[in-house]
Amino acid sequence: MPPLVLQERISARKSDFEPLLQMDDLLRELIAAGGPMPTEYALLNRTLRQLGDAVRAKVIARDDVMAYAHDITSRYLDGTMQSRALGKKHGYSGDFEIIEAIYTLQTAQEPHLRRWDLYFHSQAAPNAVRNRKAYFHQLLNSHSAGRPKAPLNVLNVASGPARDVREWVLDNPEREVFFDCVDAEIHAIEHAKKLCAPFAKRVEFYHRNVLRFIPAKGYELVWSAGLFDYLTDRTFVYLLKALMTVTKRGGEVVVGNFSDFNPSRDYMELLGDWVLHHRTRDHLRELALEAGAAADSIEIQWEPEEVNLFLHVRR
Ligand SMILES: C[S@@+](CC[C@H](N)C(=O)[O-])C[C@H]1O[C@@H](n2cnc3c(N)ncnc32)[C@H](O)[C@@H]1O
């Protein structure tokens, strides 16, 4: 049964709430069976899609779905990735701990919870997050290969756990690359500092809000993933403009943003309260133009899931 606060509304408009009741039936069935098996993922996704359609059509209020999601998650799925996203320990769903858990494929130890985490990690969005780490690595490869003699300076905006930095430097100890990492969350900075301790001389950390502070150096590569899709268009343009000014001639700014093609969107929004500004390629291009980028300096790329787009602006 959905939580008490909802039951009265549901009994008055039972047919409207049908997609939520179906979701509830399915989740309870799967919970009783010890979590979803891979063969059940398609049914779960379809049921989520129907619920998403009802919310988009305003037949069911998003707040009602959120009340439901919090209730069922806290009662049966405490400790799962889903409950961690909903819990917003550091203020929002995609905090550095969740991102780190996605990179390292963390799953609950308890078998009945573990299956839910395997379902979480199997989805397109977490895959896209892992793929964007590989995308950053490829960028670092190509930028540093183009400068065999000169050091490469990289600004990593909203660096989170900095696992991407750690992995690349450990794999490429001979490359002269220096990172400035900015993050507004002190726990993210502390965690990232530990991960990057073996090569601390190559990485500088700034515990700052990038909307108020950007290190005033020049960079060949400015990278930001997992930040711009939380920003409104206005703030997007403001920050992109600021990042373009610290990018050296010949360098580039690369900004990740979830695309409007995100098969995990209903799961993220309805069971994780993880809401992003999904943007199309054209929209990203328009925002770059608004920030003052020349039309021929803009390029849009993507990772294999096509969920994470990457706006490149060449300077
Ligand atoms: C989704 S995580 C992405 C982390 C990292 N870029 C990655 O992809 O692995 C977003 C990070 O942005 C940071 N953040 C959010 N708003 C910020 C701001 N205004 N200034 C600096 N960091 C910010 C958060 O603290 C968090 O660590």
Side-chain angles (χ1 to χ4, degrees):
M1 284 290 278
L4 273 177
V5 284
L6 274 183
Q7 282 175 28
E8 215 172 281
R9 271 210 292 294
I10 291 178
S11 55
R13 290 169 40 220
K14 202 149 190 272
S15 64
D16 283 352
F17 276 96
E18 198 48 46
L20 184 60
L21 294 172
Q22 275 178 13
M23 185 82 245
D24 186 47
D25 283 348
L26 178 61
L27 288 183
R28 276 163 203 282
E29 204 179 292
L30 294 173
I31 287 164
M37 292 297 286
T39 48
E40 290 157 327
Y41 293 175
L43 174 61
L44 189 44
N45 292 341
R46 218 164 34 244
T47 310
L48 272 162
R49 181 64 188 257
Q50 280 157 3
L51 182 56
D53 287 343
V55 172
R56 277 182 285 278
K58 300 198 182 334
V59 174
I60 300 180
R62 190 170 183 277
D63 284 355
D64 285 346
V65 180
M66 280 302 95
Y68 169 76
H70 277 282
D71 181 70
I72 193 141
T73 306
S74 64
R75 272 205 266 169
Y76 303 106
L77 301 174
D78 192 28
T80 57
M81 291 294 296
Q82 183 175 310
S83 79
R84 292 170 69 181
L86 263 185
K88 299 181 195 266
K89 181 174 163 193
H90 297 288
Y92 67 107
S93 315
D95 64 39
F96 78 97
E97 276 188 31
I98 299 285
I99 299 299
E100 178 74 329
I102 289 174
Y103 285 150
T104 53
L105 285 164
Q106 287 173 25
T107 56
Q109 297 297 308
E110 301 88 331
H112 69 288
L113 297 180
R114 186 165 183 272
R115 282 205 210 162
W116 291 96
D117 285 342
L118 292 175
Y119 167 64
F120 178 101
H121 287 302
S122 75
Q123 298 188 58
N127 277 333
V129 169
R130 289 184 286 268
N131 289 343
R132 82 178 177 218
K133 176 158 64 66
Y135 193 89
F136 184 31
H137 289 170
Q138 281 162 9
L139 272 178
L140 291 167
N141 289 345
S142 60
H143 276 266
S144 61
R147 306 170 57 82
K149 298 245 159 58
L152 179 75
N153 295 293
V154 179
L155 176 63
N156 186 1
V157 177
S159 46
R163 181 161 291 278
D164 40 11
V165 173
R166 174 189 161 86
E167 289 179 1
W168 191 83
V169 177
L170 288 179
D171 282 350
N172 297 275
E174 77 295 348
R175 303 260 178 117
E176 280 255 328
V177 179
F178 296 93
F179 296 86
D180 278 347
C181 295
V182 186
D183 202 285
E185 166 58 55
I186 187 63
H187 299 103
I189 294 279
E190 282 166 359
H191 177 87
K193 272 188 178 166
K194 274 189 213 139
L195 285 188
C196 296
F199 42 85
K201 286 203 179 107
R202 283 165 178 246
V203 192
E204 188 89 33
F205 284 99
Y206 298 85
H207 172 217
R208 303 295 284 267
N209 177 346
V210 283
L211 299 175
R212 304 216 185 97
F213 168 85
I214 295 173
K217 298 184 199 159
Y219 301 92
E220 284 79 31
L221 176 62
V222 175
W223 164 258
S224 187
L227 174 66
F228 277 74
D229 25 29
Y230 290 89
L231 306 180
T232 61
D233 283 359
R234 200 164 148 221
T235 313
F236 185 117
V237 170
Y238 167 81
L239 183 57
L240 179 59
K241 208 184 260 183
L243 296 181
M244 283 162 59
T245 63
V246 295
T247 308
K248 286 185 183 166
R249 190 173 281 279
E252 64 174 343
V253 185
V254 183
V255 160
N257 201 116
F258 266 31
S259 75
D260 60 335
F261 170 75
N262 175 8
S264 318
R265 187 168 179 170
D266 288 327
Y267 174 78
M268 288 170 65
E269 290 186 351
L270 301 177
L271 291 184
D273 194 17
W274 190 333
V275 181
L276 298 175
H277 290 276
H278 292 76
R279 293 185 169 102
T280 64
R281 292 165 208 206
D282 287 347
H283 192 171
L284 289 175
R285 188 177 292 279
E286 271 166 31
L287 296 177
L289 289 170
E290 229 179 285
D296 62 359
S297 70
I298 303 170
E299 200 187 330
I300 314 286
Q301 294 289 346
W302 54 92
E303 44 71 44
E305 294 282 350
E306 284 190 62
V307 168
N308 222 318
L309 298 178
F310 301 100
L311 164 67
H312 291 239
V313 178
R314 282 229 158 252
R315 301 298 285 156

